[in-house]
Amino acid sequence: MEGPGPHAVNSVRPEGADAVAGRVRWDPTHSTWNGGMLATALILGPLTFTPAAFAIFLLSTGACLLLGHSVGFHRRTIHGSFQCPIWLEYLLAWFGTVTRMSGPHWMVRTHDLRDWAQRQPHCHPYLAHRTGMLRDAWWQMHCKIELERPPRFELGRIGRDPFYRFLERSWMVQQLPIALLLFWWGGIGFVVWGVCARIAISVHGHWFIGHLAHNRGPQS
């Protein structure tokens, strides 16, 4: 913990860290993946649309965001808000991974870095969504922040757990069995809507909500 207070973040060790000094750099891995999924959805989505494919999109997006990103990654892995059997924890972590924002270690580091930085007197605009919408979209989905003096991270059990390490290494590959199953079930349309469109809307929706939450309303 950062300290004994109730709002301390999970894994950040902030000694000597600076939340301001740093630069935003293009992240080729996430940029190519996110851009490729969006382009595929926009180009092939209208050509392969069927009511069944759209139903697959709705069901798979809801399952991944709710079970995986919200309950699995955010509430269980990051905040430890509830206890559950290890098999259920692993299942929820898998759903979180196939939501396709990244692997579990990356998600914890990203969440805790931003949470820590926003509690400092000042932080880099990247970490606070404090730029215009178009620049923030490019930064958040296609770039990464490289702080000159970043905090250290101690991921604890999930950093040592072989299953979490496997998910971290293979987060892209985890889409393959889903794509094969959907192709067998309903052809290329199911793959486009059940993988590409699902990933595109999840990534862009997650960014859009974050951007609005940091720039609209009472900010409390």
Side-chain angles (χ1 to χ4, degrees):
M1 290 289 188
E2 184 183 10
H7 303 298
V9 294
N10 292 311
S11 59
V12 170
R13 297 298 182 270
E15 297 81 5
D18 183 352
V20 178
R23 64 176 59 186
V24 179
R25 293 185 181 273
W26 180 56
D27 181 349
T29 300
H30 287 89
S31 180
T32 302
W33 181 265
N34 293 338
M37 289 296 169
L38 178 62
T40 303
L42 292 177
I43 295 170
L44 297 183
L47 301 177
T48 59
F49 176 85
T50 64
F54 189 66
I56 291 294
F57 162 74
L58 292 177
L59 290 172
S60 61
T61 302
C64 288
L65 286 174
L66 295 176
L67 292 175
H69 180 73
S70 182
V71 177
F73 273 175
H74 196 213
R75 303 318 312 166
R76 173 64 190 136
T77 303
I78 292 174
H79 289 293
S81 301
F82 64 93
Q83 300 297 320
C84 65
I86 193 66
W87 66 266
L88 180 56
E89 178 184 311
Y90 285 167
L91 179 62
L92 294 172
W94 179 82
F95 270 102
T97 300
V98 299
T99 303
R100 205 326 295 153
M101 293 169 198
S102 206
H105 294 172
W106 185 92
M107 289 296 297
V108 172
R109 290 191 185 99
T110 298
H111 175 279
D112 287 0
L113 174 63
R114 195 179 301 274
D115 188 69
W116 164 76
Q118 291 178 10
R119 298 181 192 281
Q120 309 311 304
H122 304 283
C123 72
H124 194 283
Y126 174 97
L127 296 167
H129 294 272
R130 201 180 299 122
T131 62
M133 183 174 289
L134 291 180
R135 174 178 287 186
D136 191 54
W138 171 253
W139 275 8
Q140 303 299 330
M141 292 181 284
H142 297 273
C143 301
K144 59 184 177 181
I145 181 75
E146 293 183 352
L147 294 176
E148 294 178 6
R149 297 195 301 278
R152 295 182 298 110
F153 293 91
E154 295 181 10
L155 298 177
R157 178 179 65 85
I158 70 164
R160 301 184 299 270
D161 190 297
F163 184 72
Y164 281 98
R165 294 171 68 180
F166 167 69
L167 291 179
E168 185 69 22
R169 293 192 302 267
S170 63
W171 59 267
M172 288 185 181
V173 180
Q174 295 300 320
Q175 302 297 333
L176 184 58
I178 299 174
L180 292 175
L181 177 61
L182 291 175
F183 183 78
W184 170 80
W185 189 14
I188 190 64
F190 275 28
V191 176
V192 170
W193 283 91
V195 176
C196 302
R198 167 178 58 81
I199 290 172
I201 197 66
S202 297
V203 170
H204 287 76
H206 182 265
W207 158 75
F208 188 56
I209 291 172
H211 179 82
L212 290 182
H214 287 83
N215 290 277
R216 301 288 189 275
Q219 301 293 297
S220 58

